[in-house]
Amino acid sequence: LREALLCSVAADIISTVEFNSTGELLATGDKGGRVVVFQREQESKNQPHRRGEYNVYSTFQSHEPEFDYLKSLEIEEKINKIRWLPQQNAAYFLLSTNDKTVKLWKISERDKRPEGYNLKDEDGRIRDPTTITALRVPVLRPMDLMVEATPRRVFSNAHTYHINSISVNSDYETFMSTDDLRINLWNLEITNRSFNIVDIKPVNMEELTEVITAAEFHPHQCNTFVYSSSKGSIRLCDMRASALCDNHSKFFEEPEDPSNRSFFSEIISSISDVKFSHSGRYLMTRDYLTVKVWDLNMESKPLETYQVHDYLRSKLCSLYENDCIFDKFECVWNGSDSVIMTGSYNNFFRMFDRNTKRDVTLEASRENSKPRAILKPRKVCVGGKCRKDEISVDSLDFSKKILHTAWHPYENIIAVAATNNLYIFQDKVN
């Protein structure tokens, strides 16, 4: 029983968070292969302050555990990424992926049911044609609202290594899926073939020096995409140049300061997330200790560098021993590209205002997250005596980490995943 409880707790750990393009829906994926979609409550005249609340809209099992008999490997059901497609009609569509398979899901509502069939009974059984003596006109009767999630397409068998990211193109006809060594381009209508657009696998695997960690399409130019590497570099590729984008058109990398070189340098310089700004002018990358903002027109060095938790520099040895140094933190822009957010340990998350250069550390925890409570900024002190409202770097809980966050596309509403809890915070409305 205890093992079953531990498994169910592990299955509930949130592994991705994503708002749709209007911000009306918010989807989370977890380690158990489930997708939960939340819908924002409509504003009512008598309760205008309830507008920001998100309630469960649909829950469905997206992926099941599988077994690869050729390689004798278990394929986890954990959802690695969710990406929404823009809404074209009354239904919603999203892509979800585990390590090997991408699925396209349709989420639709049904509040009417047809009755009065001629050739079958109300329970669906085919009637004997000899008993049909009159012609009936079927009618639609109202019923309780049902939200159905149906798999429309399954994109599989295209990746030898684990898929780490998917990205929908701005043409809304294609998307890409990325693993450690290859990027594949798919048409949303075609499931049985994809085009390999990046392949960094060397002929001799012993010569492998880096892997792809994340990739994303440009928000407006359907021919442009970027991918980041475990060596801390970002490559911008143009699909118009050639069918296989092994040669990049731009290469972004900050030269390393030799005085800071250590055993951990290469590990902490690995980029865990890359995101275009909404405007398409900037790139944001997250490595273990920093968030960097790059201008697409300047490859030599980042425009801005923000220290997320520089106080952990002295703790890298113990973070290596407990494997935390390999944690992959994500980063997000706000709707106007003026503020960026990323996670840290002890359920802390950080926000950096690019205009005022101010930053704040906030905490997502049950104790301080009662409805309509105001979050107090947190501070971490290094060495010496801490003030009453500060927390010592030695007492940080490294098992509590915020890897996945999302920002509403237009409003100051954020979603923060802290292990198996989802917190939704919004700007204080007077």
Side-chain angles (χ1 to χ4, degrees):
L1 181 66
R2 184 172 168 275
E3 276 189 6
L5 281 169
L6 286 171
C7 282
S8 73
V9 169
D12 287 342
I13 292 173
I14 297 169
S15 52
T16 184
V17 187
E18 190 77 11
F19 280 101
N20 75 338
S21 58
T22 62
E24 289 302 301
L25 297 181
L26 170 68
T28 65
D30 65 24
K31 284 196 170 180
R34 282 185 305 270
V35 172
V36 181
V37 179
F38 299 87
Q39 186 181 44
R40 197 172 179 195
E41 244 183 42
Q42 296 303 310
E43 191 167 1
S44 62
K45 286 191 175 72
N46 43 355
Q47 288 180 309
H49 62 275
R50 283 179 62 89
R51 171 74 179 112
E53 294 198 5
Y54 284 80
N55 298 316
V56 175
Y57 178 61
S58 174
T59 304
F60 57 94
Q61 189 72 28
S62 175
H63 287 70
E64 302 281 356
E66 294 173 57
F67 192 79
D68 185 336
Y69 293 98
L70 287 173
K71 298 193 181 79
S72 294
L73 280 176
E74 280 189 54
I75 301 168
E76 272 191 299
E77 65 272 38
K78 175 191 162 204
I79 308 291
N80 292 342
K81 284 282 183 292
I82 288 172
R83 289 289 178 265
W84 289 92
L85 272 64
Q87 194 177 356
Q88 309 283 358
N89 50 33
Y92 302 98
F93 288 87
L94 64 82
L95 289 167
S96 65
T97 184
N98 68 347
D99 284 343
K100 297 287 179 188
T101 306
V102 185
K103 293 185 180 180
L104 175 69
W105 289 88
K106 177 185 179 182
I107 301 164
S108 53
E109 295 183 355
R110 216 171 69 195
D111 59 358
K112 293 184 177 64
R113 68 164 183 265
E115 283 181 9
Y117 288 109
N118 288 290
L119 300 176
K120 56 185 178 183
D121 292 328
E122 301 308 335
D123 55 4
R125 281 182 304 195
I126 301 294
R127 291 169 64 188
D128 179 0
T130 56
T131 63
I132 302 170
T133 55
L135 189 64
R136 294 194 291 179
V137 178
V139 289
L140 289 170
R141 299 241 185 266
M143 59 178 259
D144 291 340
L145 178 68
M146 260 179 67
V147 180
E148 294 178 314
T150 46
R152 296 308 299 266
R153 295 194 176 72
V154 177
F155 306 90
S156 57
N157 305 324
H159 285 277
T160 311
Y161 308 99
H162 293 336
I163 298 173
N164 55 45
S165 50
I166 49 174
S167 179
V168 180
N169 201 346
S170 58
D171 62 10
Y172 306 138
E173 290 180 8
T174 54
F175 74 93
M176 65 179 172
S177 55
T178 308
D179 68 26
D180 294 345
L181 299 179
R182 296 190 180 104
I183 301 176
N184 291 335
L185 181 70
W186 301 83
N187 186 302
L188 283 160
E189 301 290 328
I190 301 166
T191 59
N192 59 358
R193 71 171 182 272
S194 61
F195 296 96
N196 180 220
I197 52 174
V198 172
D199 186 350
I200 65 163
K201 185 182 178 184
V203 178
N204 179 5
M205 280 296 269
E206 287 173 7
E207 293 168 10
L208 182 69
T209 58
E210 64 181 333
V211 294
I212 302 169
T213 54
E216 189 176 66
F217 271 118
H218 190 281
H220 314 303
Q221 298 165 8
C222 61
N223 54 285
T224 309
F225 68 93
V226 290
Y227 67 92
S228 58
S229 89
S230 57
K231 276 195 160 177
S233 58
I234 309 113
R235 290 169 175 85
L236 182 94
C237 300
D238 187 340
M239 290 192 289
R240 294 173 301 186
S242 68
L244 193 63
C245 301
D246 282 355
N247 296 321
H248 47 268
S249 51
K250 288 191 177 182
F251 182 78
F252 303 86
E253 187 176 46
E254 187 170 29
E256 192 188 14
D257 181 359
S259 62
N260 281 343
R261 180 121 188 101
S262 74
F263 169 75
F264 304 110
S265 294
E266 199 162 303
I267 302 171
I268 63 172
S269 67
S270 174
I271 292 173
S272 54
D273 197 16
V274 60
K275 293 264 171 61
F276 274 106
S277 61
H278 295 83
S279 67
R281 169 76 189 270
Y282 303 104
L283 270 176
M284 170 167 57
T285 59
R286 170 74 209 259
D287 57 41
Y288 191 65
L289 294 176
T290 65
V291 172
K292 291 171 183 166
V293 175
W294 302 79
D295 188 318
L296 285 192
N297 300 324
M298 186 170 77
E299 298 166 62
S300 55
K301 64 175 195 287
L303 202 61
E304 301 152 24
T305 301
Y306 300 98
Q307 300 295 335
V308 178
H309 37 216
D310 203 44
Y311 45 79
L312 296 182
R313 236 176 242 284
S314 59
K315 297 243 172 270
L316 292 177
C317 201
S318 55
L319 289 162
Y320 179 76
E321 284 166 7
N322 64 14
D323 276 354
C324 283
I325 202 167
F326 302 107
D327 285 333
K328 292 176 170 57
F329 291 96
E330 293 171 10
C331 51
V332 287
W333 301 90
N334 72 338
S336 61
D337 300 332
S338 60
V339 183
I340 52 189
M341 172 172 64
T342 190
S344 181
Y345 293 103
N346 208 69
N347 278 358
F348 288 170
F349 58 98
R350 305 267 284 133
M351 287 184 177
F352 304 95
D353 189 312
R354 297 179 59 213
N355 299 326
T356 64
K357 300 299 178 215
R358 287 193 308 197
D359 62 279
V360 66
T361 303
L362 300 168
E363 182 183 3
S365 71
R366 291 197 165 184
E367 292 75 55
N368 64 6
S369 301
K370 294 183 175 65
R372 277 172 275 292
I374 294 173
L375 289 183
K376 291 184 176 66
R378 302 298 307 262
K379 279 198 167 57
V380 178
C381 73
V382 184
K385 285 193 79 173
C386 292
R387 291 206 199 116
K388 193 178 79 161
D389 58 339
E390 293 181 336
I391 181 166
S392 164
V393 67
D394 296 316
S395 52
L396 293 174
D397 187 345
F398 292 108
S399 66
K400 292 179 177 173
K401 54 192 94 168
I402 289 174
L403 303 175
H404 316 286
T405 57
W407 203 309
H408 190 288
Y410 310 115
E411 297 178 42
N412 279 337
I413 297 175
I414 57 169
V416 175
T419 53
N420 55 352
N421 295 313
L422 178 71
Y423 296 92
I424 297 174
F425 301 109
Q426 74 179 106
D427 219 358
K428 187 175 174 227
V429 183
N430 293 318

